[in-house]
Amino acid sequence: MGNRTLAIVQAAALASWLAGSAPLWSQGNVVTKTEEEPANAYAIGIGDVLDISVWKNPDLTVSVPVRPDGRISMPLLGDVQAAGMTPLALRQMLTDGLKEFVTAPGVSVVVKEINSQKVFVTGEVAHPGSFDLRPRTKLMQVLALAGGLTPYAKGRVVLLRDTHDGQADRRYEIDLGKIISGKSPADNLILQPGDTLVVP
């Protein structure tokens, strides 16, 4: 095998090896790593307000609330599901959808107002109403935020939880005395957005 032929074979082998070992390049384009989200990434909820902008496309920049059906309205795309998605996942979905209309759309999604992370307390408490829900907030903590029980309370609470499937709310009846005495500490449940506590 001549020197010229050997050089061609070596060059081809090197090119093949580079293609297999360096997959970040493909026909001159950089393929970036898929972004990974933390396990506790915020999930957009009904009532939240989103600021969505598309770089160099002011007509596509909107500030929109998440409707009760979980959707938002976007120029060119119409109604888009948002509730239950993280901002990063929604950004990717909008980017994919806008590629049909805009070259390399640079989309950003910012949660401007968080209105979905609330629980509701009614019945025999000092201050019925809605309360902002922080991570891992428990039932007894929310009752404390509501000012505690009135003298007329029966010492139990009913928790109503939306099943998000169109079916009736799930109902839990909890004896507060068993939580306080330590007989049933597991009943001091971690609350979820949209939970309603009813104190008879």
Side-chain angles (χ1 to χ4, degrees):
M1 182 182 293
N3 290 340
R4 186 169 180 277
T5 304
L6 179 61
I8 292 173
V9 170
Q10 288 174 336
L14 178 61
S16 176
W17 178 83
L18 286 173
S21 62
L24 295 180
W25 293 90
S26 175
Q27 298 180 347
N29 297 324
V30 178
V31 180
T32 57
K33 180 183 177 183
T34 302
E35 295 184 70
E36 295 182 1
E37 298 190 63
N40 62 344
Y42 179 74
I44 296 166
I46 292 170
D48 290 347
V49 178
L50 309 178
D51 278 347
I52 299 173
S53 60
V54 183
W55 190 57
K56 290 188 177 182
N57 287 273
D59 293 342
L60 300 178
T61 297
V62 294
S63 182
V64 290
V66 181
R67 303 193 309 250
D69 63 357
R71 295 173 174 266
I72 59 173
S73 295
M74 275 292 296
L76 299 179
L77 299 180
D79 289 348
V80 177
Q81 180 66 31
M85 304 185 71
T86 64
L88 182 60
L90 179 59
R91 186 188 75 180
Q92 186 60 57
M93 186 173 70
L94 294 176
T95 299
D96 293 341
L98 288 171
K99 284 178 180 178
E100 183 179 348
F101 309 98
V102 179
T103 301
V107 179
S108 70
V109 175
V110 176
V111 181
K112 180 180 180 182
E113 297 179 19
I114 296 177
N115 299 317
S116 61
Q117 303 294 300
K118 292 184 181 295
V119 292
F120 306 89
V121 185
T122 187
E124 294 298 331
V125 291
H127 306 294
S130 62
F131 300 88
D132 291 331
L133 184 64
R134 298 181 181 277
R136 299 192 63 78
T137 300
K138 294 189 176 183
L139 181 149
M140 294 297 289
Q141 293 171 316
V142 171
L143 291 179
L145 290 174
L149 308 185
T150 72
Y152 306 103
K154 294 184 177 180
R156 57 189 174 87
V157 63
V158 176
L159 168 60
L160 302 177
R161 176 164 290 170
D162 190 349
T163 58
H164 301 292
D165 58 5
Q167 303 300 315
D169 287 348
R170 194 169 294 158
R171 185 180 185 276
Y172 305 88
E173 187 164 340
I174 299 164
D175 186 332
L176 299 178
K178 290 184 178 180
I179 297 175
I180 296 169
S181 68
K183 291 180 179 179
S184 188
D187 285 347
N188 190 20
L189 300 174
I190 295 174
L191 299 185
Q192 298 179 6
D195 280 353
T196 299
L197 300 178
V198 181
V199 181

